[in-house]
Amino acid sequence: NSYNGSVECPAKTTRDINVSSTLSGFYSLFADKIELAAVDNSTEYTYINISKAKATGINWSNTFKQNNWNISAGAAYVGYYNQYKNDDVPVRGESKTFAWSPEINSNIIYNLPHIGGAIGLFYKYTGELPTYRIDDNDTLYLAKQGAFSNLDLTLTKKIGKYLNLQAGVKNIFNVTTLSNTTIGSTQAHGVGGGPVLQNYGRSWFVGILFQSP
């Protein structure tokens, strides 16, 4: 089951400026949710069945357009609740309360109409997230995956009527691994199964996109 609601502020528009803002919220309930659990100290994953999972949160999104500028920015605060087994014996790390995590995103695009091109910068911050893992004793537990930021840069140039040439850099901050800490740990550095693989690192790309008429 999922419930959503939103309130949109009236857009402010002048001759060359358009600004809009939306506040939304959601609540979702999942039964028998299938999810991947990482195995500590390895690159392996295994499927698990979560008896009950819930997510709720609020999201604030904004857009700003002026001449060649197209900017969007938003923030969210999301709570996660997980119950692996449908009984009174929780898995290590599970809690009866929501685990909250912030998210921030921003996209900035500057159009270059005189050359048929554009420059785009795309940023996203993701806070700590609950994630199931399996320790060296083959025991399931709920851990915290560390927060991280991601930044991409894209350059676009129109070629003819239907083709776009794109080039850029992905994962500019070169994030490859994230920390992994057991939820509720009181130790100085927590307890976990080592870093979590997140990405393959910074990369450059070039490509051609076809836009159908």
Side-chain angles (χ1 to χ4, degrees):
N1 296 326
S2 183
Y3 307 92
N4 302 274
S6 64
V7 177
E8 185 173 354
C9 297
K12 180 181 179 180
T13 304
T14 63
R15 183 177 178 182
D16 57 359
I17 298 178
N18 185 290
V19 180
S20 64
S21 183
T22 302
L23 181 66
S24 61
F26 72 94
Y27 176 86
S28 300
L29 174 63
F30 308 94
D32 296 321
K33 181 183 178 184
I34 304 299
E35 192 169 299
L36 283 171
V39 179
D40 283 352
N41 302 310
S42 79
T43 58
E44 297 180 356
Y45 287 81
T46 186
Y47 287 101
I48 62 172
N49 189 318
I50 302 173
S51 177
K52 182 188 295 184
K54 293 185 283 188
T56 187
I58 57 174
N59 180 72
W60 183 37
S61 58
N62 307 272
T63 61
F64 173 86
K65 298 179 181 179
Q66 181 184 30
N67 297 327
N68 297 322
W69 290 97
N70 191 335
I71 301 173
S72 64
Y77 198 52
V78 182
Y80 301 90
Y81 171 88
N82 295 279
Q83 182 180 341
Y84 176 65
K85 296 186 294 183
N86 193 19
D87 57 30
D88 294 328
V89 184
V91 168
R92 175 164 53 101
E94 288 184 343
S95 171
K96 293 184 178 181
T97 60
F98 282 86
W100 292 90
S101 176
E103 296 179 6
I104 300 172
N105 64 81
S106 180
N107 300 330
I108 302 174
I109 298 175
Y110 184 72
N111 294 303
L112 303 166
H114 58 289
I115 63 170
I119 302 173
L121 200 60
F122 308 93
Y123 171 80
K124 183 176 182 180
Y125 168 82
T126 302
E128 292 183 335
L129 294 174
T131 178
Y132 282 100
R133 297 185 65 86
I134 298 175
D135 64 19
D136 294 334
N137 296 318
D138 203 29
T139 301
L140 188 73
Y141 70 97
L142 189 62
K144 285 190 300 185
Q145 178 179 284
F148 68 99
S149 293
N150 187 72
L151 182 66
D152 298 337
L153 173 68
T154 300
L155 307 176
T156 304
K157 174 69 172 68
K158 215 170 172 50
I159 304 176
K161 193 173 181 180
Y162 302 117
L163 295 179
N164 283 332
L165 174 65
Q166 278 196 341
V169 187
K170 290 183 177 291
N171 192 10
I172 292 176
F173 296 143
N174 198 32
V175 177
T176 56
T177 59
L178 305 177
S179 63
N180 164 42
T181 306
T182 301
I183 293 177
S185 172
T186 58
Q187 297 187 26
H189 299 287
V191 178
V196 181
L197 294 176
Q198 170 62 23
N199 212 327
Y200 47 78
R202 186 184 301 113
S203 63
W204 290 260
F205 68 92
V206 176
I208 295 179
L209 300 179
F210 173 77
Q211 289 184 325
S212 60

